[in-house]
Structure formats: C-alpha cells, structure tokens
Amino acid sequence: IVFPKLVESFENEKILRVSCGGSFTLAITQHWEAYEEKRTLWSWGCISNGRLGIGRFEISRRSYQKSPTRLVSLDGYFIVDVSSGSSHALALDRDGKVFAWGNNEAGQCSFDFNKFGENVLPQQMNRSIWDDVYVPHQVLVPIPAVSVAAGSHSSAVIDLVGRLWTWGRNSKPCLHQSTSCHVNSILSGFMRLPRYATPRIARP
C-alpha cells in the first residue's frame, strides 16, 4: 500500500490516537454511553510476543490479527496515551497508571507484581520474570505518569513533576543509566532497576 487508505473498522468510534510499532498498530477510540465518555484501546497486526495484548495464541496457527481487536483487560480504564515499540507497548490512563505488554526479553515491560510481589529478592528471581507479557499489566512508577514512550527494547515515562523514568535494555546507554551497579545478574547487559524491574529515574 503506497497511498493512504481509510480503515473502516471504526465507523461508530472517534479515533483519538494511533501508534505504529513493529508489524502492529494500536489505536485509542472514544464513544459515549449515557452522556459519559468512554475510551477503548484496539490492536491489530502480528501477534507474536504478545504485542497485541489480547492473550496467548498458537503462533503457527494464527500469526496475524487482521482486524482491530479490543484490549478487554483495559476496558475499565480511561486510556489517554499509547506507544508502540518494536514488539512491546505501553498505555497510560488518566490517573497516571502505566500498563505494559509484549516482548519482555530486556525487561522493557517490567514485571507483574501481582505474580511476583513488590519485594522480590535477587535469589528469588528466575527467567520467568522476563517472559513475554500477553495481557497488559501495571508498571509500578512511584509517581503518576503524564506521558509514555516505547523504544525498540526499552521504555520511558514522564511523571507528574516532570521527571523521566526509564527501564529495559541499556545499551549505549540509551536509558541514561549507569550499568556499573545496575546490570541484571540474570540477563547481563540489561537494565536492572530498583527491585529488579521497576522504573529508575534518569539522572543528568
């Protein structure tokens, strides 16, 4: 396709924001129910690594989702921003909560505190913490966020007071973090953030 073509799947929805990642697309739409504004997050494209956030599928049977599919796990949240990386994504709701899903090989989705707990210790960590994330989970940013950005294998948010938080792969170092004391003992060269997976503030 070399010329713009209308996506006709959203006849009854107003599209507010769109983000294109590595072979997948996300869109935030708006509709009204009983005079109340509602937001819906949609995804379509390649389903590998959980980048669509709609659950786990057998890749050999269904490699692509051709039509927009609702992320039902975020139906109860008022989504205001979204960002797509190479194979992971971030979403932000109006209360400043950050959600992540998709490829997590570098910790770019952080990890699910509901599964591992907030006070996970180094000796308790295993490779499963860095498994792909197939349904959005909340990333514990200490202060409500106002903006999100997903890179190739890294993530970043700006918080309510204007500070930048980063996590994921710290090569070159793209996260503006020292790797001398923050290298993960499991995945050497990836960013080990406070509590081993939570966002770390970037220092000048």
Side-chain angles (χ1 to χ4, degrees), residues 14-106:
K14 179 180 179 181
I15 299 176
L16 302 178
R17 189 175 294 273
V18 66
S19 179
C20 297
S23 301
F24 73 109
T25 304
L26 302 171
I28 302 173
T29 62
Q30 174 197 59
H31 67 277
W32 296 84
E33 294 180 7
Y35 303 102
E36 182 181 3
E37 182 184 0
K38 301 286 187 178
R39 298 283 179 92
T40 304
L41 182 58
W42 305 82
S43 65
W44 63 98
C46 178
I47 69 171
S48 64
N49 303 110
R51 69 189 76 186
L52 297 189
I54 57 175
R56 186 190 295 266
F57 295 92
E58 179 57 52
I59 301 301
S60 61
R61 293 178 53 196
R62 187 180 175 193
S63 298
Y64 287 89
Q65 173 65 38
K66 295 182 179 180
S67 59
T69 302
R70 193 172 93 252
L71 274 74
V72 294
S73 62
L74 295 179
D75 275 354
Y77 299 93
F78 194 91
I79 303 299
V80 297
D81 194 12
V82 67
S83 180
S84 308
S86 292
S87 53
H88 80 292
L90 302 175
L92 174 71
D93 81 351
R94 66 179 169 188
D95 295 323
K97 296 184 181 71
V98 177
F99 301 91
W101 64 94
N103 185 354
N104 198 32
E105 65 176 319

Side-chain angles (χ1 to χ4, degrees), residues 111-121 124 129 140 195 198:
F111 67 84
D112 190 350
F113 285 94
N114 292 325
K115 181 177 179 181
F116 294 101
E118 294 186 30
N119 299 311
V120 61
L121 299 174
Q124 297 172 323
I129 284 183
L140 287 190
R195 294 184 192 156
T198 55

Side-chain angles (χ1 to χ4, degrees), residues 10 41-42 65 68 76 89 99 104 110 113 143-144 147 163-164 168 181:
F10 300 105
L41 182 58
W42 305 82
Q65 173 65 38
F99 301 91
N104 198 32
S110 190
F113 285 94
I143 295 177
S147 181
R163 295 182 299 180
L164 175 65
C181 60

